[in-house]
Amino acid sequence: MYLLLLILLIVGIAVGTLTGITGSSGVLVVVPVLSYMGIDFKTSIGTSLLVDVITTTIVIYVYLKKKTLDIGIGLILGMGAIVGAQIGAFVAHIVPVLPLEIAFTAMAAYMSYYVIKKSYRTEEKGIRKINLKRPIALLIGFLLSIPIGTLTGIIGTSGGIMFILVIILLFSMKAQNMVGTATLAMFLSAFSGSVGYFRIGHIDFLAAIVIGLIALISGYYFSILAHKVDQKIIYRFLGVVFIIVVISEIVKITVL
């Protein structure tokens, strides 16, 4: 019992760290841990989405207080994700578990590559941005957010990093503003996805509340820290975490 609580404590701190500093979903931490604890994969995904809902509330509060969040862009991206998340949750309900495991591992592998590469350049360098008027950029952002939301429903990623990619492509923001804005979109995406998983009975509320409350506290302090530390260090650390998760998932899939 005490070991279980310790594991959930560590997971909660990790989720708060990832969300507060990088705007990333806690899915790549929560899902593997819950799966190894014997919770089925789909329930692990639904639980992770609810954890993201809880965690992002405090992170959004801090970024709003620091005025590093574009509410308009965050809401538009989030609304597109809401549409996609409902589609994804329905598809996930009829898709076998193994393809979801493989998709999850592939996503983690890409994320490890992306964040490590990102740590060796500035936020804008190396990425060609499209110069569009804001209304057009918002429309494209909405459309791009639909497939992000679909992935939310299928493999449980709330799209934090993917929303940041959309923001980099379409809008001009500082790093902290991108993280804050992406977190708002992620909240809406995760909320929609968790509702979908609740409808099909795939959420462990006890695990979600325990992890979420711990992440709520750690997320608050790490959100404040995010405005003071060098993002490159965080991205490199995050890349290592993703690599560990990929290896763990590959071993698990091989055993299945």
Side-chain angles (χ1 to χ4, degrees), residues 86-103:
Q86 294 306 307
I87 297 173
F90 174 76
V91 172
H93 183 53
I94 60 177
V95 172
V97 173
L98 184 57
L100 296 180
E101 292 268 16
I102 295 174

Side-chain angles (χ1 to χ4, degrees), residues 25 27 48-49 52 148 152 156-160 162-163 182 185-187 189-190:
S25 166
V27 59
S48 175
L49 288 169
D52 281 340
I148 293 176
T152 296
T157 171
S158 299
M162 288 179 281
F163 284 125
M186 185 171 74
F187 166 78
S189 177

Side-chain angles (χ1 to χ4, degrees), residues 11 15 19 24-32 34 39-57 60 81-82 84-93 100 104 107 147-160 162-163 183-205 207-209 211-213 215-216:
V11 171
V15 171
T19 305
S24 173
S25 166
V27 59
L28 295 179
V29 177
V30 176
V31 171
L34 294 185
I39 298 176
D40 69 88
F41 189 70
K42 292 179 181 178
T43 300
S44 297
I45 290 175
T47 304
S48 175
L49 288 169
L50 183 54
V51 169
D52 281 340
V53 172
I54 297 171
T55 308
T56 52
T57 55
I60 290 170
I82 286 175
Q86 294 306 307
I87 297 173
F90 174 76
V91 172
H93 183 53
L100 296 180
F104 176 80
M107 179 194 69
I148 293 176
T150 302
L151 287 177
T152 296
I154 295 177
I155 57 178
T157 171
S158 299
M162 288 179 281
F163 284 125
T183 302
L184 174 57
M186 185 171 74
F187 166 78
L188 296 172
S189 177
F191 182 81
S192 179
S194 61
V195 169
Y197 273 84
F198 171 75
R199 288 175 178 171
I200 61 177
H202 283 292
I203 292 181
D204 187 316
F205 285 97
I209 291 172
I211 296 173
L213 290 178
L216 198 68

Side-chain angles (χ1 to χ4, degrees), residues 93-190:
H93 183 53
I94 60 177
V95 172
V97 173
L98 184 57
L100 296 180
E101 292 268 16
I102 295 174
F104 176 80
T105 305
M107 179 194 69
Y110 172 75
M111 289 302 186
S112 66
Y113 160 77
Y114 173 76
V115 296
I116 291 176
K117 182 178 180 180
K118 186 182 182 69
S119 72
Y120 287 96
R121 64 190 184 195
T122 61
E123 295 300 324
E124 289 81 16
K125 184 178 179 181
I127 300 179
R128 183 178 181 181
K129 301 175 67 175
I130 302 174
N131 295 318
L132 298 171
K133 292 183 178 180
R134 185 179 174 95
I136 298 177
L138 288 173
L139 175 60
I140 295 176
F142 174 83
L143 296 175
L144 291 177
S145 296
I146 293 177
I148 293 176
T150 302
L151 287 177
T152 296
I154 295 177
I155 57 178
T157 171
S158 299
I161 294 296
M162 288 179 281
F163 284 125
I164 288 178
L165 285 172
V166 173
I167 292 170
I168 290 174
L169 182 66
L170 299 174
F171 306 99
S172 179
M173 293 186 190
K174 294 181 179 179
Q176 287 85 355
N177 295 71
M178 286 193 294
V179 171
T181 303
T183 302
L184 174 57
M186 185 171 74
F187 166 78
L188 296 172
S189 177

